[in-house]
Amino acid sequence: MRKKAIFAVGFCGVFLSVFLMFTTTILAQNRPSVIVLLVPQLTREDIHMIYQSNAFPLLKQAAIGELNIRTAVSLKDIHNITTISAGVRAAGTEWGRYAYRSSEKHAEAVPLYYIHTGEMPSGLRNGTILLPYIPVLMENNEQRNTGAIPGLLGETLEQHGVERAVIGNSDVEGKPSRLGGMLTMNRKGITPQGWIGEETLIHTSLFPGGKKTDYPFLAYHIRNWKSQGKGLVVAELGDLERLARHKNSLDTKRYMELRQRVVEEIITFAGELALKRENNQRILLLSASLPDSDIADKKRMAPIVLWENGGDGGVLTSGTTRQPGLAANIDIAPSIFVWLGVSLPPAMKGQVLAVDYTFSHEWFWKTAEAIDYIYATRPAVLYPYVGVTIAIIILSVLILFFGERNERIRRKWIRWLPYVLLFILLIPFFLLLLPLLPGSPSPFVIALLLSAVGIGISIMLRRLPFAACFFGVGLVSWLPPLLDGFTGGELIRRSYLGYDPVIGARYYGIGNEYMGVLLGGSVLSVAMAGELWRKNACRYIPALLIVICIAMVLYMAWPQGGSKAGGIFVFLAVLLYGIPAFSGMVWRKRYIIVLLVTGIAAAGLLFMVNYQMADEQQSHIGRAFAELMKGNWPEIGRIIERKLIMNWRLILASIWSKLFIVSLLVCLLFIYYKNEQVRNITKHYPYFTAGIKTISFGALIALLLNDSGIIAASLAILYALVPLLYRMIDNNT
């Protein structure tokens, strides 16, 4: 009986053990997991080159996109990875590269960790990864007031019981560079398990530096970790980084051959993982940094590739960018949380990645190239425009002040100046229509085309009376951008005066450039409408201003439209100031108080409506209002600080500030030295005078309330100054 009992107990034990192992394996396979392949120095051109070869069909099944890698400091890899781990733009430190495995030879990771943190790492085991210099990383972000918490990604996963592991490195010639661990570590700089040392490399004399990634080693451990139920595995593939260190010592052709071979190995490795991926498993390939040559060539967007179940192909996007094919580095951590079924911590500002299947890969390649081209050539288009505008304003002033001394020179210049002044105000309209042209014309071709068309239209407008001429100029300046904005903003999105996704300050809505154009153009058209139809104008002109300003405010407040908080206040201010200015009402305290309360209430209502929308539909206005409602005053302070710093930098260094200063000085000169001529114009054109005052007031509000407000103010003030110069020159002919 005793033997039978022992046999029965043993049999049951074996059966239960096998059953538990089988159950654990099944559960691990069904548990969601994410594999992140981190590749420093990988570019979109690398991916496109492999894509075109047709030798990697699994690449065509992935969702592709490009990633804005803007951080709180620069585009350097250490800042980008810190930003990804925090879910908000952060600042890294070179000490963040020096992570070690607890058992790594010659590293003495545990003593180093104790020296720098004053603590012994908890839960230490043979494969634990330690970042001894985590206090330096934390302090760096605190001093810069970024609001970032390095390691928040790993910390949150740890709190929800999601296991993490990291493997691979970008070590170069004995100098550690272990970026992957920053994505898996918790706030104490600890990753439970990983391999990040020499064991992940193979020695070869056929590759510069003599070391390469050991892909079979990585594949073996990733496969084991998946069977153990690891939720997040990060693999750092550093061969492009190692190759880049030897670029200057290699022939260009040979360097490109080796680079292509490395990229093929990376895509092959990713493809094998994608081919064997299970349900609820996602494989995310992204670049940690870009080569210096790409950054110098104005190519500053990094590639991102996602394999997931549910569909093939498509392009990546997110609620942060709202542009197909574009995402931001702050979106990576929130996406990992959602994929693993973990709730997002409030400190993260990114949105979840999504796949848009309505756009093809071919569309993405063309669009990405167009974005790069616009970013690279924008200075060559806008700088001459602003420079010529400043020169024409100064020349007009010189003719008005000193032309009387030389009648022949005055008559020679004064003939064509009105045409050029008209042309200056038409350029924003032409730049809006420029994306309709096929291909990517060079800045020189753009200049020729704009000059030919602009001068031709200016000649036709010149034949019209003053009021009719600038009524038309004002109308085409604000109506087409507004209509485009309400229909998706496709033209604004690709205009040289539109926002720039490469910089990453704005991805959707309307930027300060066209906000200034809308401000100046709309008020100018209202003023000239009053001059054209003076009979009963004091009745309907304020009504017209109300209708236009309400339309502008609704557009600025609409999350799918302008999404411009500063624009809401600017046009409310224009409305409050413009009604008495155009109607001739006397400013009374009661009127001012009522209008201020009404304006603030209207703005608050619009913000509240935005706030009530779902997270993916909210604009940055709604998210900022959410922070305000939660009482997150440090974040509100950081938002205000960023806006003030940005505006101050632009005022000090931007060419737009020079345009604004020149315009302001010209206005002061007219007030003090051409007072009689200005008074004569204001006497004959009362509604134009009201328009000048309203535009100037709106420009001042735009300057004070917007980051980059100097741009909006500079463009808006042109719609007051240029018609004034035009009229004064006409009076001198």
Side-chain angles (χ1 to χ4, degrees), residues 357-660:
Y357 294 103
T358 60
F359 295 90
S360 67
H361 288 173
E362 287 69 25
W363 174 90
F364 166 76
W365 301 123
K366 293 178 181 178
T367 303
E369 289 176 3
I371 290 173
D372 282 348
Y373 183 78
I374 291 170
Y375 174 72
T377 56
R378 178 175 271 113
V381 173
L382 293 188
Y383 283 14
Y385 163 54
V386 178
V388 168
T389 300
I390 293 173
I392 294 302
I393 291 174
I394 294 174
L395 181 60
S396 301
V397 172
L398 292 175
I399 293 297
L400 288 171
F401 275 84
F402 305 107
E404 297 175 357
R405 299 180 182 179
N406 192 318
E407 185 66 18
R408 184 177 63 84
I409 294 178
R410 187 182 72 86
R411 288 187 176 276
K412 179 180 178 181
W413 286 94
I414 216 166
R415 287 176 184 173
W416 60 266
L417 271 177
Y419 300 105
V420 180
L421 289 170
L422 286 171
F423 173 55
I424 286 173
L425 285 192
L426 289 171
I427 287 181
F429 169 64
F430 296 145
L431 291 178
L432 180 71
L433 300 182
L434 199 60
L436 295 175
L437 294 177
S440 301
S442 67
F444 179 72
V445 172
I446 291 173
L448 289 179
L449 183 63
L450 292 185
S451 299
V453 176
I455 295 299
I457 295 177
S458 298
I459 291 172
M460 291 187 290
L461 289 172
R462 177 68 172 149
R463 298 175 182 176
L464 299 175
F466 172 66
C469 173
F470 282 96
F471 173 76
V473 171
L475 198 64
V476 300
S477 296
W478 70 268
L479 191 56
L482 187 64
L483 292 175
D484 175 64
F486 273 121
T487 55
E490 290 299 323
L491 295 179
I492 292 176
R493 188 178 296 172
R494 298 291 174 256
S495 171
Y496 281 102
L497 269 181
Y499 47 85
D500 193 341
V502 178
I503 295 175
R506 173 174 286 269
Y507 300 101
Y508 54 86
I510 190 168
N512 285 287
E513 293 86 352
Y514 272 110
M515 191 194 79
V517 173
L518 289 179
L519 167 60
S522 60
V523 176
L524 178 62
S525 62
V526 169
M528 291 309 178
E531 297 296 345
L532 286 172
W533 300 285
R534 286 197 182 184
K535 187 177 181 180
N536 297 322
C538 60
R539 296 180 181 178
Y540 64 77
I541 289 301
L544 179 61
L545 181 67
I546 290 172
V547 170
I548 292 176
C549 285
I550 289 176
M552 295 290 186
V553 169
L554 290 175
Y555 170 62
M556 298 292 172
W558 183 35
Q560 306 302 323
S563 188
K564 185 76 172 173
I568 296 173
F569 289 110
V570 166
F571 280 98
L572 284 174
V574 166
L575 181 62
L576 299 181
Y577 185 91
I579 289 175
F582 282 106
S583 63
M585 291 173 54
V586 178
W587 288 83
R588 295 193 178 103
K589 290 183 179 180
R590 183 181 300 175
Y591 168 79
I592 296 173
I593 293 173
V594 170
L595 287 182
L596 282 175
V597 171
T598 303
I600 293 172
L605 178 62
L606 292 170
F607 289 167
M608 181 63 73
V609 170
N610 198 321
Y611 168 64
Q612 294 296 330
M613 292 184 172
D615 288 345
E616 64 274 10
Q617 295 178 338
Q618 276 186 359
S619 68
H620 56 281
I621 299 174
R623 293 171 198 139
F625 193 72
E627 300 292 349
L628 184 63
M629 294 294 290
K630 290 184 291 188
N632 190 354
W633 298 110
E635 180 60 26
I636 296 298
R638 280 188 286 270
I639 293 173
I640 295 173
E641 181 184 1
R642 285 196 299 268
K643 290 181 178 296
L644 290 174
I645 291 174
M646 175 62 72
N647 220 3
W648 183 243
R649 285 177 179 172
L650 286 172
I651 289 172
L652 291 178
S654 172
I655 193 172
W656 295 104
S657 65
K658 297 175 177 61
L659 174 59
F660 183 79

Side-chain angles (χ1 to χ4, degrees), residues 152-166:
L152 184 58
L153 170 58
E155 178 80 15
T156 307
L157 293 178
E158 185 175 278
Q159 292 172 355
H160 286 80
V162 178
E163 296 188 48
R164 303 102 58 209
V166 61

